[in-house]
Amino acid sequence: MHLRVTFVAAARSSSLLAERFEDDRPLDQADWDEVQRAAPELVPLAAAELRYCSPTPRSRATGDALGYAPLAQPALRDCDMGRWRGFTLGEAMAREPSAVDAWLADPRSAPHGGESLTSFISRVGGWLDTRPADDGSRIVAVAEPSVVRAALVYALKAQPSTYWNIDVRPLSTITLAGVNGRWNLRLEGVPQHA
């Protein structure tokens, strides 16, 4: 019994350094334009038997704009950043430099009073492992880039610190194939004909 889970990173127009922890702003005009440009490639994913999204306005709007009509999943929410919610990394560093250093160095730490990186990865992995599995089932999930990164770390059984080395671009996709704790990264492309 194997299934395919394709994650679509939610649209966002700001740079990574301008991103705010647990940012719940809706799509702006630049985001909408970006979704429209990507739609021809992403709309076919609406054929998936199950369609989910992070509970953020941006993830839901991205899924709706692509015709997925996704069901929000609390387990796919962004990492709980405690008192740093709404801050950029630079703002958190300016206020609490040693706490940010500890958080970046130790994936089990949560100096912000929220969720540790290891807990976040485990939460997302738990969601992944509890998807209904009918052989050949397809699932699409629109999620914040941080959630996609956590899913990749979990699926590949990588060290939690690997999370910091994964760059997930807006509206990019990754597919995981497998079931319950046994996942493979599936890179799909356009087949080349000779």
Side-chain angles (χ1 to χ4, degrees):
M1 300 288 253
H2 282 29
L3 64 143
R4 288 175 35 178
V5 180
T6 299
F7 284 92
V8 177
R12 77 179 41 189
S13 61
S14 57
S15 72
L16 187 59
L17 292 177
E19 279 302 313
R20 298 191 173 279
F21 295 127
E22 293 186 83
D23 190 356
D24 60 3
R25 291 177 293 174
L27 295 178
D28 61 20
Q29 188 58 51
D31 296 328
W32 280 109
D33 294 344
E34 186 178 27
V35 171
Q36 294 309 308
R37 285 190 300 275
E41 291 181 30
L42 299 175
V43 166
L45 293 173
E49 288 87 1
L50 298 169
R51 296 170 305 279
Y52 301 111
C53 67
S54 295
T56 62
R58 184 172 34 233
S59 292
R60 180 176 288 286
T62 300
D64 286 344
L66 294 171
Y68 299 169
L71 176 65
Q73 296 287 284
L76 292 179
R77 71 188 181 282
D78 210 342
C79 186
D80 177 356
M81 295 304 292
R83 68 180 171 275
W84 295 348
R85 185 177 195 278
F87 291 179
T88 65
L89 179 60
E91 290 168 346
M93 182 65 90
R95 288 175 171 85
E96 301 179 49
S98 60
V100 171
D101 287 343
W103 174 67
L104 293 171
D106 182 0
R108 297 167 305 199
S109 72
H112 43 61
E115 191 174 25
S116 71
L117 184 59
T118 54
S119 294
F120 173 50
I121 292 167
S122 293
R123 171 171 45 86
V124 173
W127 177 86
L128 189 62
D129 283 347
T130 57
R131 292 311 84 211
D134 288 329
D135 206 23
S137 290
R138 292 176 300 154
I139 296 172
V140 66
V142 179
E144 296 299 315
S146 60
V147 173
V148 178
R149 290 161 63 190
L152 277 168
V153 171
Y154 179 82
L156 297 175
K157 295 179 175 35
Q159 293 295 319
S161 59
T162 305
Y163 176 89
W164 304 118
N165 302 104
I166 300 172
D167 183 16
V168 176
R169 298 291 200 199
L171 300 170
S172 61
T173 64
I174 63 106
T175 299
L176 300 174
V179 68
N180 194 16
R182 295 183 324 227
W183 296 98
N184 296 308
L185 175 60
R186 185 176 207 167
L187 300 176
E188 298 171 335
V190 179
Q192 299 296 316
H193 298 289

